Amino acid sequence: MSDVPLVAHSLAEVYLYLMVTPCGKCGRGPLKGGDAKPAEWDNTRVGVVVEVTCSICDDQARLEFDVPAERLAAIKSAPRGSAAKINPTPEPSRIIDVAGWVTLFGVIADAAARATDKGEARMLGYEAAQCLDEALKFYDQENELPPEDAFFSEASRRRHREHPQKLARSRLIDLRARLPSIDAMEKRMASAGGKKRRWWKPWG
Ligand SMILES: [Zn+2]
């Protein structure tokens, strides 16, 4: 994937990508990302550059992500610490595959369950719900399992073949049904006021 630009729908998606992407050198990770710096390429592409360090082998890399200009502007105008939309479009992610989103959902929902602060739990819950919504964007209505092109790596495809029930569409829909709608969560967060911490780095 290194010869094509990494295309993200938001800065939130960039940081979630780092959480599920193995290190290019040792194949493990996770990658720790520094601050995203705005960048522009060829006068046509805008986005961010993130310096990443592997938490296992310390290998460093510089990752470039195309991010739509209006999504970058939305971050600047949002109140500090407010929860971010991962992908406001109906288009599935091009950098995190269906299995990646389900993994992220599990990790973030666990963090939400452990959070002692109500505001933090709400924000993590909002993020977890969006991860499930992102996973569901890959499915056809009539198929219980995701299509082949919903997997971006051979490792991911192999894990799915070993445990197909994990990615059953009905299972994801059941999990999603236990959480409130995105609108309801946004309203609740707005009425509770913003948080001080940048939401996408709860583990950093
Ligand atoms: Zn490494």
Side-chain angles (χ1 to χ4, degrees):
M1 203 147 62
S2 54
D3 51 344
V4 293
L6 295 164
V7 178
H9 295 89
S10 65
L11 201 52
E13 193 180 352
V14 167
Y15 282 94
L16 293 170
Y17 170 81
L18 300 184
M19 287 175 61
V20 288
T21 299
C23 163
K25 193 177 176 198
C26 72
R28 295 163 72 192
L31 304 173
K32 289 177 288 187
D35 284 342
K37 298 192 182 73
E40 202 180 315
W41 302 274
D42 323 323
N43 289 327
T44 52
R45 293 166 46 207
V46 292
V48 294
V49 171
V50 184
E51 307 277 348
V52 298
T53 309
C54 172
S55 50
I56 302 288
C57 75
D58 278 338
D59 187 52
Q60 295 189 335
R62 190 171 174 275
L63 300 181
E64 296 178 350
F65 297 86
D66 285 9
V67 183
E70 68 272 19
R71 298 305 306 161
L72 291 175
I75 299 161
K76 284 190 199 124
S77 60
R80 187 170 157 74
S82 61
K85 266 253 162 67
I86 296 171
N87 174 1
T89 78
E91 181 186 276
S93 173
R94 289 162 65 176
I95 53 175
I96 302 172
D97 72 3
V98 64
W101 287 114
V102 173
T103 299
L104 285 167
F105 164 74
V107 171
I108 297 166
D110 275 359
R114 281 198 310 270
T116 46
D117 179 273
K118 256 190 187 168
E120 187 182 345
R122 257 197 296 266
M123 213 175 281
L124 289 166
Y126 175 67
E127 198 185 331
Q130 290 186 79
C131 289
L132 274 184
D133 288 344
E134 289 305 312
L136 285 163
K137 285 180 186 175
F138 286 94
Y139 292 70
D140 303 323
Q141 292 275 350
E142 58 276 9
N143 282 322
E144 176 69 351
L145 292 177
E148 272 292 291
D149 62 6
F151 299 94
F152 298 168
S153 74
E154 201 38 57
S156 177
R157 215 166 275 132
R158 193 177 55 239
R159 276 195 297 273
H160 167 57
R161 268 187 238 114
E162 287 161 7
H163 305 283
Q165 70 286 356
K166 269 190 144 173
L167 295 183
R169 183 166 174 267
S170 53
R171 174 178 174 265
L172 303 190
I173 288 173
D174 279 354
L175 288 169
R176 184 63 186 87
R178 293 179 206 164
L179 300 166
S181 73
I182 292 294
D183 273 1
M185 286 197 242
E186 283 174 353
K187 282 199 191 104
R188 206 183 306 156
M189 283 188 294
S191 62
K195 281 274 298 164
K196 285 151 248 87
R197 205 162 45 142
R198 290 197 356 218
W199 71 275
W200 62 76
K201 286 193 167 171
W203 305 273

